[in-house]
Amino acid sequence: MNWADLIQHYGYIAIFIGTLFEGETVLMLGAYAVHQHLMNFPILIAVAMLGGFIGDQFYFQLGRRYGTQLIQSNADYAQKFERASQFIERYPILTILFMRFAWGLRTVLPISIGIRKYPVWKYVLINILACFIWAMVVATLGFQMSHYLHLFWEKLLPYHQDIYIVIAVISCIVLFKVGYVLLKWWRKNSKPHL
């Protein structure tokens, strides 16, 4: 079952679970569901915020309690922590506000902030705002993309027969070219070597 099926069958629960982790893909699909009038935009934002917030809090607490052991036991984590720490030290509030947009560092940053013993209540308050910003930006972009894609397909729909013909011609040309290259390769490699 893919995310689209999960959202169709489980709605906001799928959004919540997806946003506990990375979340952009599932939130974009949720925005598409809003565009199709299957979901409500404010509820989508609230659920995405909650999922993102709980996920971030989990990683923050993980770093706060077990982060030092994690760093000492794994050189890869130690290297990522060192890179993240430099940025956290200079810009702690900006790091928290925009860490959900830092693909590839999304789990490392809250763990690193927890390891650095950042004040819990300060982290919680800034992270609530950060999750709101993230949910609004991603859902709004997803909604707008859904709208423009819908308009794009509406414009193309009257020409679908012509599009099929163009696709068929291009496919034939590509297949012919691939066949020709494969035939040349086969002839070259099938000759007996003297």
Side-chain angles (χ1 to χ4, degrees), residues 13 59 66 71 73 87 101 107 117 120 123 131 133 138 142 166 194:
I13 295 169
Y59 291 120
Y66 307 107
I71 288 172
S73 67
F87 195 76
F101 295 99
T107 56
K117 304 294 186 210
V120 174
Y123 178 77
C131 289
I133 291 169
V138 173
V166 169
L194 298 175

Side-chain angles (χ1 to χ4, degrees), residues 70-100:
L70 187 66
I71 288 172
Q72 291 171 347
S73 67
N74 189 319
D76 187 43
Y77 287 139
Q79 184 181 14
K80 287 182 179 179
F81 171 72
E82 201 52 48
R83 280 191 313 190
S85 283
Q86 293 170 3
F87 195 76
I88 293 166
E89 192 173 310
R90 286 189 196 139
Y91 312 105
I93 293 174
L94 282 177
T95 302
I96 297 168
L97 281 175
F98 296 110
M99 71 184 171
R100 291 206 60 83

Side-chain angles (χ1 to χ4, degrees), residues 147-166:
H147 175 72
Y148 291 124
L149 283 172
H150 185 75
L151 290 176
F152 176 73
W153 285 115
E154 275 185 353
K155 297 271 186 212
L156 286 181
L157 202 56
Y159 306 105
H160 72 279
Q161 293 295 336
D162 298 333
I163 293 170
Y164 294 148
I165 292 170
V166 169

